[in-house]
Amino acid sequence: MAKSYYMPKDDNGKVALLDLLATRLPIYAELLEISPADIASLQADAAALRYTINAFNVIQGNARLWTAFKNLQRDGGAGSGAFPPGANLPAQVPTVSPGIVPRVTALIARIKTARHYTEAIGQDLNIVGSTQIVDPDGWKPIIDIAVKAGRPVIQWTKGDADSIEIWADRGDDKGLAFHTITTDPAYTDASPAPASSALWKYKAIYRLRDEQVGNWSDVISVAIGG
């Protein structure tokens, strides 16, 4: 089964992973052939990113305090006229070179190719993504449409699908019929425009491993030609 990417998307999740690695990786350092210099660099990066995020949060909170005071001082209202205190930042740590996350992802790539690396070690270090269960039976594409240079552009989100199958109705009383299969999330229908205005309709269904999966989208329409 597919696994999600191990790296958290938010800053707090990233620094939590760095903190965990800084604490747990030394246990496996010799087994995975990770040098003391690598461990020291990782621990410095973890401390630096933790400091920066904590300082950022303090500054953000202080900025809100000063914004409220600025509005009070300017416009009046209930409250003291005393200036609020400045940001009380945490104790500073040594600086590191920019690029903490690229460094840790490169280190993790080395860890995963080490001779004695195991899935259990990866789980302990939290560098193995969670298993994703893909159930395409409930998939239903949401399609949107725009007109650019007189041509319909069908927009959709790929997700876990391989492609999408689009059917079209040209307003010629033939109804919806197969048009194309595409992987382009902004597919342009280059079919010749009618001489007079017509209402073109579209529907779509996801495809996975060369088969239709899930449910048809809602039918959308656009005026073309004329």
Side-chain angles (χ1 to χ4, degrees):
M1 290 185 180
K3 291 184 181 294
S4 62
Y5 186 42
Y6 66 83
M7 181 62 69
K9 294 182 180 179
D10 63 295
D11 286 339
N12 288 329
K14 287 181 172 67
V15 76
L17 176 60
L18 275 158
D19 285 342
L20 175 65
L21 288 170
T23 301
R24 300 293 298 169
L25 186 56
I27 299 171
Y28 303 105
E30 184 175 355
L31 180 67
L32 299 175
E33 301 177 0
I34 303 299
S35 71
D38 288 328
I39 295 295
S41 175
L42 170 66
Q43 291 174 338
D45 281 348
L49 188 58
R50 173 63 68 189
Y51 168 82
T52 299
I53 289 175
N54 288 343
F56 176 81
N57 290 336
V58 169
I59 291 169
Q60 287 286 89
N62 194 247
R64 288 191 291 270
L65 180 66
W66 274 86
T67 298
F69 172 75
K70 179 260 295 180
N71 294 340
L72 172 67
Q73 187 184 60
R74 182 192 63 206
D75 302 326
S80 169
F83 289 106
N88 184 20
L89 297 180
Q92 195 166 350
V93 301
T95 60
V96 299
S97 300
I100 290 175
V101 170
R103 277 197 295 277
V104 74
T105 53
L107 177 61
I108 290 169
R110 284 174 49 202
I111 290 170
K112 289 185 174 183
T113 58
R115 287 179 299 166
H116 300 297
Y117 171 80
T118 64
E119 183 86 357
I121 291 175
Q123 294 286 355
D124 188 43
L125 297 177
N126 204 24
I127 58 174
V128 178
S130 59
T131 300
Q132 293 181 309
I133 299 174
V134 178
D135 180 15
D137 290 342
W139 291 358
K140 178 181 178 180
I142 297 174
I143 59 175
D144 198 3
I145 194 164
V147 177
K148 296 182 180 179
R151 299 185 183 278
V153 179
I154 291 79
Q155 301 165 335
W156 57 285
T157 301
K158 185 176 180 182
D160 292 317
D162 293 331
S163 58
I164 200 169
E165 179 178 323
I166 300 173
W167 287 41
D169 177 348
R170 306 298 178 187
D172 53 7
D173 297 325
K174 295 181 180 178
L176 286 158
F178 173 80
H179 171 59
T180 191
I181 295 172
T182 181
T183 59
D184 187 349
Y187 168 77
T188 300
D189 183 353
S191 302
S196 58
S197 180
L199 191 66
W200 284 9
K201 299 178 182 180
Y202 297 90
K203 71 175 182 178
I205 192 167
Y206 282 128
R207 294 182 68 88
L208 185 66
R209 291 184 286 276
D210 293 327
E211 293 183 356
Q212 293 180 352
V213 292
N215 304 295
W216 285 97
S217 71
D218 295 334
V219 175
I220 58 173
S221 59
V222 63
I224 294 296

